[in-house]
Amino acid sequence: MKQENLHICASSDCDCGMTRRDFLRMSALASAGAAAPLLFAGDARAQAFKGDDQPVKIGYLPITDATPLLVAHGRKLFEAQGLKTEAPRLFRSWAQIVEAFVSGQVNVIHLLSPATLWVRYGSKFPAKVVAWNHVNGSGLTVLNEINSVADLGGRTVAIPFWYSIHNILLQKLLAAHKLTVVTRARGAELKKNEVSLVVMAPSEMVSALASKSIAGYIVAEPFNALAETAGVGKILRFSGDVWKNHACCVTFLAERDLAEKPEWSQRVTNAIVNAQLWSRSNQVETAKLLSSSGPNRYTPHQLQPLTKVLAVTDYSDYQKRGIIAHPQWQQRRIDFQPFPFASYTEEMVRALVQTKVEGDNKFLTGLDPKFVARDLVDDRFVRKSIAAAGGPGAFGLPANLLRTETVAV
């Protein structure tokens, strides 16, 4: 089995796919003319609130990646830290959530790991990763007739966003089976060794699979579980079984808040880390809190698929079907480990350079992985939060908070 380094995250919502229009909207932020008004809006927001009077304004997509933010809100963990909160705002695309964050409409968001690179180095908006939101939590789901990655040759597969761990891991899997990634118009003829990638909103993926307009998709939960429970598709590979305990979405805060409101930033991080600790031990309750039948109706998803993702940790059935290649890793389908390992960020940078994406990715040229690991991530707050919550062991983390990345395609 081929071993190599890799990265990144991702996730999406009922409509969190990145369309061409969304991509152009995000790209517009990179120009000074477009970014300046948004940055000024951020200045106004910073001046309007002083110190810890600034309320926590969450922006999220309704996927399991947002769990820590929503649990922290639902269980009033922010208030327990002495913070004020507003009702979380649900967004339908990554473009929308980035725009809202840059303009100051929201100040605490979860974002795809690679997208944080784009925001900081592509659009040059000063923001940093302060913690991971979760690990694993994604999968490659295919038609029931597909039995191996090789069977995807000559087919179309959907991804939620170009800058995502989904795209990176999928392309690694395809390359390992000597399949070439292309982007072709719907209905275009494909060679047997080609796989056409299309960006699609996760909410459309299950129906697209059911109609066989695509052969599969790789995306965050609970959309893989939704295909399983509906009987229209099956898991071919879990993302965490390719890259051990990989990050997906991360908690992203404006650098201004980190510098000018360090106590506020610490309390926000405390609440999010405490939410992760609670979620690890209260999986069914977490699913109920996130579900459409929950008190806050944070997501449109029913309890069954959310429970399948959050509460089912026995992989025996998947192992019997040969889906789990690395049972010795003893992973959960999704888990919550908040520490942002530098080794992971470094591999993310290397992986993105080698991954096919649409749009201008020149900002990646010349980025030094070790520099990015120091510059993109601020782990001061999460270190304190983890220590206060019981230490690394409480989250299944190594005591020295160091690790070596393990990727097995």
Side-chain angles (χ1 to χ4, degrees):
M1 187 149 306
K2 186 178 178 182
Q3 298 278 339
E4 59 180 320
N5 289 325
L6 256 196
H7 165 279
I8 216 176
C9 139
S11 192
S12 254
D13 154 72
C14 289
D15 272 311
C16 53
M18 176 62 69
T19 64
R20 183 173 296 275
R21 179 180 299 177
D22 286 337
F23 189 84
L24 292 174
R25 289 170 65 187
M26 286 186 71
S27 297
L29 297 178
S31 67
L38 298 176
L39 292 174
F40 291 151
D43 288 337
R45 184 254 309 163
Q47 294 169 7
F49 300 99
K50 299 297 183 181
D52 296 329
D53 288 336
Q54 175 170 304
V56 174
K57 297 187 287 187
I58 294 170
Y60 76 101
L61 299 177
I63 49 178
T64 53
D65 301 45
T67 296
L69 305 186
L70 300 177
V71 167
H73 179 267
R75 291 187 55 79
K76 299 188 180 301
L77 300 182
F78 292 114
E79 286 82 353
Q81 292 291 323
L83 298 172
K84 299 176 182 178
T85 63
E86 294 184 0
R89 292 186 58 184
L90 185 154
F91 292 91
R92 296 296 184 179
S93 75
W94 294 115
Q96 290 176 355
I97 202 169
V98 168
E99 287 180 324
F101 178 65
V102 171
S103 66
Q105 297 174 49
V106 294
N107 54 23
V108 178
I109 64 171
H110 69 108
L111 190 61
L112 301 168
S113 297
T116 64
L117 283 172
W118 189 93
V119 172
R120 184 165 179 84
Y121 305 111
S123 71
K124 301 188 183 304
F125 181 75
K128 295 201 177 210
V129 175
V130 297
W132 285 0
N133 261 36
H134 67 102
V135 295
N136 306 329
S138 297
L140 173 59
T141 295
V142 297
L143 292 169
N144 290 316
E145 65 200 53
I146 301 291
N147 294 310
S148 72
V149 173
D151 291 342
L152 293 173
R155 307 276 196 127
T156 297
V157 178
I159 58 175
F161 184 45
W162 289 110
Y163 287 89
S164 68
I165 187 138
H166 311 107
N167 185 31
I168 290 174
L169 293 181
L170 176 62
Q171 291 195 32
K172 291 289 185 180
L173 286 168
L174 295 176
H177 287 79
K178 303 186 184 307
L179 295 174
T180 300
V181 171
V182 299
T183 53
R184 301 275 172 79
R186 295 287 181 89
E189 186 175 347
L190 296 172
K191 297 178 181 179
K192 291 184 178 180
N193 69 327
E194 293 180 334
V195 176
S196 181
L197 300 190
V198 296
V199 172
M200 181 179 292
S203 61
E204 300 173 4
M205 289 181 176
V206 178
S207 60
L209 191 69
S211 67
K212 297 191 175 183
S213 62
I214 58 174
Y217 57 77
I218 183 168
V219 74
E221 299 289 6
F223 295 99
N224 304 289
L226 287 170
E228 287 184 293
T229 55
V232 300
K234 64 184 181 183
I235 301 290
L236 189 62
R237 195 76 183 271
F238 287 106
S239 61
D241 193 47
V242 178
W243 189 338
K244 185 179 180 180
N245 286 331
H246 69 78
C248 190
C249 274
V250 296
T251 301
F252 210 39
L253 298 183
E255 194 168 0
R256 183 190 345 269
D257 287 335
L258 300 177
E260 297 180 1
K261 304 176 180 65
E263 182 60 29
W264 181 88
S265 301
Q266 183 65 66
R267 294 181 185 184
V268 168
T269 308
N270 289 347
I272 291 170
V273 168
N274 289 340
Q276 295 196 42
L277 184 62
W278 184 85
S279 298
R280 297 189 89 229
S281 302
N282 298 274
Q283 298 155 344
V284 173
E285 291 80 1
T286 299
K288 291 178 179 177
L289 188 151
L290 297 179
S291 74
S292 57
S293 58
N296 294 298
R297 298 182 179 179
Y298 288 127
T299 77
H301 309 302
Q302 295 181 355
L303 183 59
Q304 182 184 7
L306 288 169
T307 302
K308 185 174 180 63
V309 172
L310 289 158
V312 178
T313 59
D314 182 4
Y315 274 17
S316 61
D317 184 53
Y318 292 114
Q319 290 178 33
K320 291 176 183 177
R321 288 187 281 154
I323 294 170
I324 304 298
H326 308 289
Q328 71 275 15
W329 290 0
Q330 297 182 331
Q331 297 187 103
R332 293 181 177 182
R333 188 160 176 165
I334 187 172
D335 204 353
F336 302 97
Q337 297 179 331
F339 188 73
F341 291 98
S343 58
Y344 183 85
T345 303
E346 291 175 18
E347 290 304 326
M348 174 178 67
V349 176
R350 297 187 186 102
L352 278 175
V353 174
Q354 300 170 0
T355 302
K356 179 181 177 61
V357 299
E358 281 197 343
D360 185 0
N361 66 345
K362 292 180 181 178
F363 70 91
L364 291 172
T365 304
L367 278 182
D368 177 68
K370 291 188 180 298
F371 165 77
V372 173
R374 296 191 306 269
D375 181 68
L376 177 67
V377 179
D378 186 342
D379 66 9
R380 294 174 297 160
F381 307 102
V382 73
R383 284 180 180 273
K384 293 180 180 178
S385 298
I386 290 172
F395 298 90
L397 295 167
N400 61 3
L401 294 177
L402 295 172
R403 80 178 196 184
T404 299
E405 299 308 307
T406 302
V407 179
V409 177

